Amino acid sequence: MKIISFYNNEKALIKKATEADREAQRFIYDTYSAKMLSVCRQYVRDLQFAEDVMINGFVKVFKHIDSFRHQGSFEGWIRKIMVREAISYLRRKQFVVFDDELFEYKAADPISFNEDLDAERIQQLIDKLPEGYKMVFVLYAVEGYKHGEIAKMLEISESTSKTQLFKARRMLQEMIKEQNRIGYGTH
């Protein structure tokens, strides 16, 4: 069994991976795969498909690793690739429909999660959102993208992004209220 050498310098590790050093690439994969699977899973409901998306994302990471300019975090760079790969996957599978219904936009009330809801249950609620709502919600609320960036990424208008987020929040609030009613036995 070959022991992987410890990489204490990220630049050296990336340089080795750029040179197609399999040990360096394996170290990067082992270091980031769990987090990136979680990122992909936020977009893709089925874990097996999320794993496929992650693997394809890592193929792109290693194919384009020489384009990383050491501006910002390496993990953030990988994460962007995973997000784009998940969006591409959903588009290819034609799961995403954006609701362009216009209405007067007003900020939705903040979502307050019951302490009894764990991360897995929250993800299950998010998974129940229509794909367009879910994608915008995750990009905005989890990934921290602005509506202009989301619009560009998803090839939609900024107002459509805001509409999707508003509707996603409203739907999540209703699901949480329902969970609380069921949880307190008032249903």
Side-chain angles (χ1 to χ4, degrees), residues 13-14 21 29-30 32 38 55 70 73 165:
L13 173 64
I14 294 168
D21 181 304
Y29 179 84
D30 289 344
Y32 297 107
S38 176
I55 297 298
H70 302 279
S73 79
L165 179 64

Side-chain angles (χ1 to χ4, degrees), residues 51-67:
E51 287 174 343
D52 290 345
V53 169
M54 181 198 65
I55 297 298
N56 289 336
F58 271 107
V59 167
K60 288 185 178 176
V61 164
F62 295 126
K63 183 176 181 181
H64 301 287
I65 197 164
D66 60 333
S67 69

Side-chain angles (χ1 to χ4, degrees), residues 94-139:
Q94 299 178 335
F95 290 145
V96 184
V97 176
F98 293 102
D99 182 357
D100 283 332
E101 179 184 313
L102 295 176
F103 66 97
E104 190 172 317
Y105 174 77
K106 70 175 186 99
D109 296 331
I111 297 172
S112 58
F113 291 105
N114 180 332
E115 291 103 34
D116 295 338
L117 289 176
D118 61 6
E120 185 177 331
R121 186 68 191 131
I122 292 168
Q123 183 63 54
Q124 289 171 351
L125 293 175
I126 293 170
D127 283 344
K128 290 181 179 180
L129 293 172
E131 290 298 336
Y133 293 11
K134 178 182 173 183
M135 196 177 301
V136 171
F137 179 81
V138 172
L139 286 168

Side-chain angles (χ1 to χ4, degrees), residues 19-80:
E19 297 165 353
D21 181 304
R22 296 293 180 222
E23 188 176 313
Q25 290 174 341
R26 181 65 177 191
F27 187 84
I28 290 169
Y29 179 84
D30 289 344
T31 301
Y32 297 107
S33 61
K35 286 182 185 177
M36 296 308 129
L37 179 57
S38 176
V39 169
C40 294
R41 174 58 190 86
Q42 290 172 341
Y43 295 90
V44 181
R45 285 185 176 110
D46 186 294
L47 182 59
Q48 290 177 328
F49 291 124
E51 287 174 343
D52 290 345
V53 169
M54 181 198 65
I55 297 298
N56 289 336
F58 271 107
V59 167
K60 288 185 178 176
V61 164
F62 295 126
K63 183 176 181 181
H64 301 287
I65 197 164
D66 60 333
S67 69
F68 178 67
R69 299 287 171 235
H70 302 279
Q71 298 167 341
S73 79
F74 184 56
E75 181 178 332
W77 182 79
I78 294 172
R79 185 181 195 99
K80 282 184 180 182

